Amino acid sequence: MYTLARPALFALDAESAHRITLGVLSRAPGLTSAFGRAGADPVEVMGLRFRNRLGLAAGLDKNAECIDAWSRLGFGLIEVGTVTPRPQPGNPKPRMFRLPEHRAIINRLGFNNAGLDAVLANIRRADRGESRLGINLGKNAVTPADQALDDYRMGMEQAYTLADYLTINISSPNTKGLRDLQGGAALDVLLRGLSICRRELADRHGRQVPVAIKIAPDLEPDEARALADAVIESGFEAIIATNTTIRRDAVAGHRYAQEMGGLSGEPVREASTRMIRLLRDHVGSACALIGVGGVMQAEHAVDKLNAGADLVQVYTGFIYAGPGLVKASAEAMQQSVSLK
């Protein structure tokens, strides 16, 4: 079914195709039932029980419009957002480019979203079924970097009761200065403030919601290790590795190679998997790892699992391979675990 639909979608510009697809799924979530459900066993990660290890990465459903459809499709976890406290339109268009020769996408969307109030209202109306829901939080572009904690704290406070887990996105390359929060004093201030906020919310609501920190693939090894140490010291449960890359070596010469933004898909796969392996070697069992980046087929999900990921997410691979990737990846990871 998707093989027939993809040429028509790819005839449109990437952002229009994205918008149309979400519109169809939000109005007819039952369409996804045609692709079958994954036959994988549940797994416990971050103190949560997931029906399988395969998740939807943040960015595909920024405004939480299609949670029902993603759940019916069989995702073990659905991560919506990135959502910012206030609505923002994002960067000027065009801002999303397909590179089919490389099975890749470049985007500089810039956290375009409807804002916390609208996104949380969509979540309240949604049926997440058996899927776990993550809410990915960012800061508004107009918020100065030294006030970033205020935005993330606002997101945490408002999303806390609706999330199964929360993700702090400090690794998008499309918000000026955001990646500077991944190290040094800025990271310490942010994580310390959010740790205090989480403790207060846990006391207030009688429930501790796990927190994941999403990082870039472009960090140097020592930077990644230092960031992981800070995450563990703060008491947070997971690291998501990785976001998109700003490197262009793998797509050099392509007509879109010099477009600003984050590169996702096949070209980031190996860098993401290397980062997962580096982090697992460093942290041991001290925190969970969620692998994302370049999962274009089921075997790539297994590769990330073997590198040390506990859960695996897809985004660009879903666009290129279609919904069948969900069932295939979840079952391939289950088979891999069963053989160990």
Side-chain angles (χ1 to χ4, degrees):
M1 187 185 301
Y2 186 73
T3 303
L4 296 174
R6 199 181 87 163
L9 290 171
F10 274 42
L12 304 170
D13 71 89
E15 193 165 354
S16 294
H18 188 173
R19 186 175 63 251
I20 289 169
T21 300
L22 291 183
V24 170
L25 290 177
S26 66
R27 291 170 176 80
L31 283 176
T32 56
S33 301
F35 294 95
R37 297 281 290 277
D41 295 336
V43 59
E44 186 167 314
V45 180
M46 300 186 290
L48 300 172
R49 185 177 173 86
F50 295 87
R51 64 175 166 178
N52 62 58
R53 296 178 185 268
L54 200 279
L56 181 76
L60 195 55
D61 191 0
K62 290 177 180 289
N63 292 321
E65 299 170 281
C66 303
I67 292 173
D68 303 50
W70 308 130
S71 179
R72 287 172 184 253
L73 195 54
F75 280 107
L77 54 151
I78 302 162
E79 191 167 317
V80 298
T82 297
V83 57
T84 54
R86 295 164 296 283
Q88 64 181 29
N91 293 320
K93 298 178 181 179
R95 54 192 182 179
M96 197 171 187
F97 309 88
R98 294 190 203 92
L99 292 74
E101 302 90 335
H102 300 281
R103 295 201 296 172
I105 290 174
I106 292 173
N107 92 81
R108 52 170 178 265
L109 292 166
F111 288 172
N112 55 313
N113 74 102
L116 263 173
D117 288 345
V119 172
L120 297 182
N122 287 343
I123 291 172
R124 290 186 184 96
R125 289 190 292 267
D127 178 9
R128 67 186 73 173
E130 301 173 59
S131 303
R132 291 293 190 173
L133 182 70
I135 302 177
N136 185 298
L137 304 172
K139 81 170 189 70
N140 280 106
V142 297
T143 301
D146 60 0
Q147 297 174 30
L149 174 59
D150 295 337
D151 276 15
Y152 286 107
R153 188 161 46 201
M154 185 183 304
M156 181 178 281
E157 289 173 347
Q158 293 192 33
Y160 195 85
T161 59
L162 293 176
D164 290 309
Y165 71 93
L166 295 167
T167 295
I168 306 301
N169 187 348
I170 53 175
S171 52
S172 169
N174 301 319
T175 296
K176 185 178 179 181
L178 190 76
R179 287 191 168 190
D180 294 340
L181 298 173
Q182 292 181 109
L187 177 67
D188 291 340
V189 169
L190 179 66
L191 295 186
R192 191 180 311 116
L194 291 178
S195 181
I196 293 169
C197 180
R198 204 262 295 262
R199 286 199 299 271
E200 293 171 349
L201 289 167
D203 290 342
R204 185 186 312 164
H205 298 288
R207 166 180 171 247
Q208 180 159 291
V209 174
V211 173
I213 308 297
K214 188 165 187 176
I215 70 171
D218 306 316
L219 292 171
E220 294 298 324
D222 286 347
E223 293 175 326
R225 294 185 189 100
L227 192 155
D229 290 341
V231 169
I232 293 167
E233 185 177 345
S234 300
F236 294 145
E237 287 78 6
I239 298 170
I240 300 180
T242 63
N243 213 314
T244 56
T245 181
I246 58 174
R247 293 176 180 154
R248 294 292 189 268
D249 302 7
V251 297
H254 192 279
R255 63 185 176 127
Y256 291 138
Q258 300 309 311
E259 292 288 350
M260 298 295 292
L263 174 67
S264 63
E266 179 70 35
V268 79
R269 178 168 60 87
E270 291 185 5
S272 166
T273 303
R274 281 197 304 271
M275 182 65 75
I276 294 164
R277 187 174 293 109
L278 179 151
L279 290 171
R280 180 55 73 204
D281 289 345
H282 183 68
V283 306
S285 59
C287 75
L289 297 179
I290 302 174
V292 57
V295 177
M296 313 304 289
Q297 58 195 51
E299 291 81 359
H300 298 161
V302 173
D303 289 343
K304 295 203 186 300
L305 199 67
N306 290 337
D310 299 288
L311 304 168
V312 175
Q313 296 177 325
V314 297
Y315 178 167
T316 303
F318 184 88
I319 292 171
Y320 277 93
L325 181 63
V326 180
K327 184 174 187 292
S329 297
E331 292 182 351
M333 286 190 286
Q334 174 61 43
Q335 183 177 16
S336 176
V337 169
S338 299
L339 291 174
K340 288 182 179 178

